[in-house]
Coordinates of all heavy atoms in Angstrom, one line a residue:
Y1 N -2.3 3.4 10.2 CA -2.8 2.5 9.3 C -1.6 1.7 8.6 O -1.8 0.4 8.5 CB -3.5 3.3 8.1 CG -4.1 2.5 7.0 CD1 -5.3 2.2 7.0 CD2 -3.2 2.0 6.0 CE1 -5.8 1.3 6.1 CE2 -3.8 1.2 5.0 CZ -5.1 0.8 5.1 OH -5.7 0.0 4.2
L2 N -0.6 2.2 8.3 CA 0.6 1.5 7.7 C 1.2 0.5 8.7 O 1.5 -0.5 8.3 CB 1.6 2.5 7.2 CG 1.2 3.5 6.1 CD1 2.3 4.5 5.9 CD2 0.8 2.7 4.9
Q3 N 1.2 0.9 10.0 CA 1.9 0.1 11.0 C 1.0 -1.1 11.3 O 1.4 -2.2 11.6 CB 2.2 0.9 12.2 CG 3.3 1.8 12.1 CD 3.5 2.7 13.3 OE1 2.6 3.0 14.0 NE2 4.7 3.1 13.6
V4 N -0.3 -0.9 11.4 CA -1.3 -1.9 12.0 C -1.9 -2.7 10.9 O -1.9 -3.9 10.9 CB -2.3 -1.2 12.9 CG1 -3.4 -2.2 13.2 CG2 -1.6 -0.6 14.0
Y5 N -2.5 -2.0 9.9 CA -3.4 -2.7 8.9 C -2.7 -3.5 7.8 O -3.1 -4.5 7.5 CB -4.5 -1.8 8.4 CG -5.5 -1.7 9.5 CD1 -5.5 -0.6 10.4 CD2 -6.6 -2.5 9.6 CE1 -6.4 -0.3 11.4 CE2 -7.6 -2.3 10.6 CZ -7.5 -1.3 11.5 OH -8.3 -1.1 12.5
L6 N -1.6 -2.9 7.4 CA -0.9 -3.6 6.2 C -0.3 -4.9 6.8 O -0.4 -5.9 6.2 CB 0.1 -2.7 5.5 CG -0.5 -1.7 4.6 CD1 0.5 -0.6 4.2 CD2 -0.9 -2.6 3.3
P7 N 0.5 -4.8 7.9 CA 1.2 -6.1 8.4 C 0.1 -7.1 8.8 O 0.4 -8.3 8.8 CB 2.0 -5.6 9.6 CG 2.2 -4.2 9.3 CD 1.0 -3.6 8.7
R8 N -1.1 -6.6 9.3 CA -2.2 -7.5 9.7 C -2.6 -8.4 8.6 O -3.2 -9.5 8.9 CB -3.3 -6.6 10.2 CG -4.4 -7.4 10.9 CD -5.6 -6.5 11.3 NE -6.7 -7.2 11.9 CZ -7.9 -6.8 11.8 NH1 -8.2 -5.6 11.3 NH2 -8.9 -7.4 12.4
S9 N -2.4 -8.0 7.4 CA -2.8 -8.7 6.3 C -1.9 -10.0 5.9 O -2.2 -10.7 5.0 CB -3.0 -7.9 5.0 OG -3.9 -6.8 5.3
G10 N -0.9 -10.1 6.6 CA 0.1 -11.2 6.4 C 1.2 -10.9 5.5 O 1.6 -9.7 5.2
R11 N 1.9 -11.9 4.9 CA 3.0 -11.7 4.0 C 2.6 -11.2 2.6 O 1.6 -11.6 2.1 CB 3.7 -13.1 3.9 CG 4.3 -13.6 5.2 CD 5.1 -14.9 5.1 NE 5.5 -15.3 6.4 CZ 6.6 -15.0 7.0 NH1 7.4 -14.2 6.3 NH2 6.9 -15.5 8.2
W12 N 3.4 -10.3 2.1 CA 3.2 -9.7 0.8 C 3.6 -10.8 -0.3 O 4.6 -11.4 -0.3 CB 4.1 -8.5 0.7 CG 4.1 -7.9 -0.6 CD1 5.1 -7.7 -1.6 CD2 3.0 -7.1 -1.3 NE1 4.7 -7.1 -2.7 CE2 3.4 -6.7 -2.5 CE3 1.6 -7.0 -1.0 CZ2 2.6 -6.0 -3.4 CZ3 0.8 -6.2 -1.8 CH2 1.2 -5.8 -3.0
E13 N 2.6 -11.0 -1.3 CA 2.8 -12.0 -2.3 C 3.0 -11.3 -3.7 O 3.1 -12.0 -4.7 CB 1.7 -12.9 -2.3 CG 1.5 -13.8 -1.0 CD 2.7 -14.6 -0.7 OE1 3.5 -15.0 -1.6 OE2 2.9 -15.0 0.5
G14 N 2.9 -10.0 -3.7 CA 2.9 -9.3 -4.9 C 4.4 -8.9 -5.4 O 5.4 -9.4 -4.8
E15 N 4.5 -8.0 -6.3 CA 5.7 -7.5 -6.8 C 6.4 -6.6 -5.6 O 5.8 -5.7 -5.0 CB 5.5 -6.6 -7.9 CG 6.8 -6.1 -8.7 CD 6.6 -5.2 -9.8 OE1 5.4 -5.2 -10.4 OE2 7.5 -4.5 -10.3
A16 N 7.8 -6.9 -5.4 CA 8.4 -6.2 -4.4 C 8.6 -4.7 -4.7 O 8.6 -4.4 -5.9 CB 9.8 -6.8 -4.2
G17 N 8.6 -3.9 -3.7 CA 8.8 -2.4 -4.1 C 8.8 -1.6 -2.8 O 8.5 -2.1 -1.7
V18 N 9.1 -0.3 -3.0 CA 9.1 0.6 -1.9 C 8.1 1.7 -2.2 O 8.0 2.2 -3.2 CB 10.6 1.3 -1.7 CG1 10.5 2.4 -0.6 CG2 11.5 0.2 -1.4
F19 N 7.2 1.9 -1.1 CA 6.1 2.9 -1.3 C 6.2 4.0 -0.3 O 6.3 3.9 0.9 CB 4.8 2.0 -1.1 CG 3.6 2.6 -1.5 CD1 2.7 1.9 -2.2 CD2 3.2 4.0 -1.3 CE1 1.4 2.3 -2.6 CE2 2.0 4.5 -1.7 CZ 1.1 3.6 -2.4
H20 N 6.2 5.2 -0.9 CA 6.3 6.4 0.0 C 5.0 7.0 0.1 O 4.2 7.3 -0.8 CB 7.3 7.4 -0.4 CG 8.8 7.1 -0.2 ND1 9.8 8.0 -0.5 CD2 9.4 5.9 0.4 CE1 10.9 7.4 -0.2 NE2 10.7 6.2 0.4
T21 N 4.6 7.4 1.4 CA 3.4 8.3 1.6 C 4.0 9.6 2.1 O 4.6 9.7 3.2 CB 2.5 7.7 2.7 OG1 2.0 6.4 2.2 CG2 1.3 8.6 3.1
D22 N 3.8 10.7 1.3 CA 4.5 12.0 1.5 C 3.5 13.0 2.0 O 2.6 13.4 1.2 CB 5.2 12.4 0.3 CG 6.0 13.7 0.4 OD1 6.1 14.2 1.5 OD2 6.6 14.2 -0.6
V23 N 3.5 13.5 3.2 CA 2.6 14.4 3.8 C 3.1 15.8 3.5 O 4.2 16.1 3.7 CB 2.4 14.3 5.3 CG1 1.5 15.3 5.8 CG2 2.0 12.9 5.6
T24 N 2.2 16.7 2.8 CA 2.6 18.0 2.5 C 3.1 18.7 3.7 O 2.4 18.7 4.8 CB 1.5 18.8 1.9 OG1 0.9 18.1 0.8 CG2 1.8 20.2 1.5
D25 N 4.3 19.3 3.7 CA 5.0 20.0 4.7 C 5.1 19.2 6.0 O 5.0 19.7 7.1 CB 4.3 21.3 5.0 CG 4.3 22.3 3.9 OD1 5.3 22.3 3.1 OD2 3.3 22.9 3.6
G26 N 5.2 17.9 5.8 CA 5.2 16.9 7.0 C 6.1 15.7 6.7 O 7.0 15.8 5.8
P27 N 6.0 14.6 7.4 CA 6.9 13.4 7.2 C 6.5 12.7 6.1 O 5.4 12.9 5.4 CB 6.5 12.7 8.5 CG 5.1 13.0 8.9 CD 5.0 14.5 8.5
T28 N 7.5 11.8 5.7 CA 7.3 10.9 4.6 C 7.4 9.6 5.3 O 8.5 9.2 5.9 CB 8.3 11.0 3.5 OG1 8.1 12.3 2.8 CG2 8.2 9.9 2.5
F29 N 6.5 8.7 5.1 CA 6.5 7.3 5.7 C 6.9 6.3 4.5 O 6.3 6.4 3.5 CB 5.1 6.9 6.3 CG 4.7 7.9 7.4 CD1 3.5 8.5 7.4 CD2 5.6 8.2 8.4 CE1 3.1 9.3 8.4 CE2 5.1 9.0 9.5 CZ 4.0 9.7 9.4
E30 N 7.8 5.5 4.9 CA 8.3 4.4 3.8 C 7.7 3.1 4.2 O 7.9 2.6 5.2 CB 9.8 4.5 3.9 CG 10.4 3.6 2.8 CD 11.9 3.8 2.7 OE1 12.4 4.8 2.0 OE2 12.6 3.0 3.3
L31 N 7.0 2.5 3.2 CA 6.5 1.1 3.2 C 7.4 0.3 2.3 O 7.5 0.5 1.1 CB 5.2 1.1 2.8 CG 4.4 -0.3 2.7 CD1 4.4 -0.9 4.1 CD2 3.0 -0.1 2.0
E32 N 8.0 -0.8 3.0 CA 8.9 -1.7 2.2 C 8.2 -3.1 2.1 O 7.8 -3.6 3.0 CB 10.2 -1.9 2.9 CG 11.2 -2.8 2.3 CD 12.5 -2.9 3.0 OE1 12.7 -2.2 4.1 OE2 13.3 -3.7 2.6
L33 N 8.0 -3.4 0.8 CA 7.3 -4.6 0.5 C 8.2 -5.6 -0.2 O 8.7 -5.4 -1.3 CB 6.0 -4.3 -0.4 CG 5.0 -3.5 0.2 CD1 4.0 -2.8 -0.8 CD2 4.2 -4.2 1.3
A34 N 8.4 -6.7 0.4 CA 9.3 -7.8 -0.1 C 8.4 -9.1 -0.2 O 7.7 -9.4 0.8 CB 10.6 -8.0 0.8
R35 N 8.6 -9.9 -1.2 CA 7.8 -11.1 -1.3 C 8.0 -12.1 -0.2 O 9.2 -12.2 0.2 CB 8.1 -11.7 -2.7 CG 7.3 -13.0 -3.0 CD 7.6 -13.5 -4.3 NE 7.1 -12.6 -5.5 CZ 5.8 -12.7 -5.9 NH1 5.0 -13.7 -5.3 NH2 5.4 -12.1 -6.9
D36 N 7.0 -12.6 0.2 CA 6.9 -13.6 1.4 C 7.4 -13.0 2.7 O 7.7 -13.8 3.6 CB 7.9 -14.8 0.9 CG 7.3 -15.6 -0.2 OD1 6.1 -15.6 -0.4 OD2 8.1 -16.1 -1.0
R37 N 7.4 -11.7 2.8 CA 7.7 -11.1 4.1 C 6.5 -10.2 4.5 O 5.8 -9.6 3.7 CB 9.0 -10.3 4.0 CG 10.2 -11.3 3.8 CD 11.5 -10.4 3.6 NE 11.7 -9.5 4.7 CZ 12.6 -8.5 4.7 NH1 13.4 -8.3 3.6 NH2 12.7 -7.7 5.8
L38 N 6.5 -9.9 5.8 CA 5.5 -8.9 6.3 C 6.0 -7.5 5.8 O 7.2 -7.2 5.8 CB 5.4 -9.0 7.8 CG 4.8 -10.2 8.5 CD1 4.9 -10.0 10.0 CD2 3.3 -10.4 8.1
P39 N 5.0 -6.7 5.5 CA 5.4 -5.2 5.3 C 6.1 -4.6 6.4 O 5.8 -4.8 7.6 CB 4.0 -4.6 4.9 CG 3.1 -5.6 4.6 CD 3.6 -6.9 5.4
V40 N 7.0 -3.8 6.0 CA 7.9 -3.0 7.1 C 7.6 -1.6 6.9 O 7.8 -1.1 5.6 CB 9.4 -3.4 7.0 CG1 10.2 -2.6 8.0 CG2 9.6 -4.9 7.2
V41 N 7.3 -0.9 7.8 CA 7.2 0.6 7.8 C 8.3 1.4 8.5 O 8.7 1.0 9.6 CB 5.9 1.0 8.5 CG1 5.6 2.5 8.4 CG2 4.6 0.3 7.8
H42 N 8.9 2.3 7.8 CA 9.9 3.2 8.3 C 9.3 4.6 8.6 O 8.7 5.2 7.5 CB 11.1 3.2 7.4 CG 11.6 1.9 7.1 ND1 12.4 1.1 8.0 CD2 11.6 1.1 6.0 CE1 12.7 0.0 7.5 NE2 12.2 -0.1 6.2
A43 N 9.5 5.2 9.6 CA 9.0 6.6 9.9 C 9.7 7.6 9.2 O 9.3 8.7 9.0 CB 9.0 6.8 11.4
T44 N 10.9 7.3 8.7 CA 11.7 8.3 7.8 C 12.1 7.5 6.5 O 12.6 6.3 6.7 CB 12.9 8.8 8.5 OG1 13.8 7.8 9.0 CG2 12.5 9.7 9.7
P45 N 12.1 8.0 5.4 CA 12.5 7.4 4.2 C 14.0 7.1 4.1 O 14.8 7.9 4.6 CB 12.0 8.3 3.0 CG 12.1 9.7 3.6 CD 11.8 9.4 5.1
G46 N 14.4 5.9 3.5 CA 15.8 5.7 3.3 C 16.1 5.1 1.9 O 17.3 4.8 1.6
Q47 N 15.1 4.8 1.1 CA 15.2 4.2 -0.2 C 14.5 4.9 -1.2 O 13.5 5.7 -1.0 CB 14.7 2.7 -0.1 CG 15.2 1.9 1.0 CD 14.6 0.5 1.1 OE1 14.8 -0.3 0.1 NE2 13.9 0.3 2.1
Q48 N 14.9 4.8 -2.5 CA 14.2 5.3 -3.6 C 13.0 4.6 -3.8 O 12.8 3.4 -3.9 CB 15.1 5.1 -4.9 CG 14.6 5.8 -6.1 CD 14.6 7.3 -6.1 OE1 15.4 7.9 -5.3 NE2 13.7 7.9 -6.7

């Protein structure tokens, strides 16, 4: 969902930020949102 559907929507126009999806006893996926850029998904977190 994060890899396909968020970037499919185009460039992010909202407030920049970093969004974590934390699976219980599993991985944490990091979504990086920067204005005027496509969302970027990292399979491992690296930012607050």
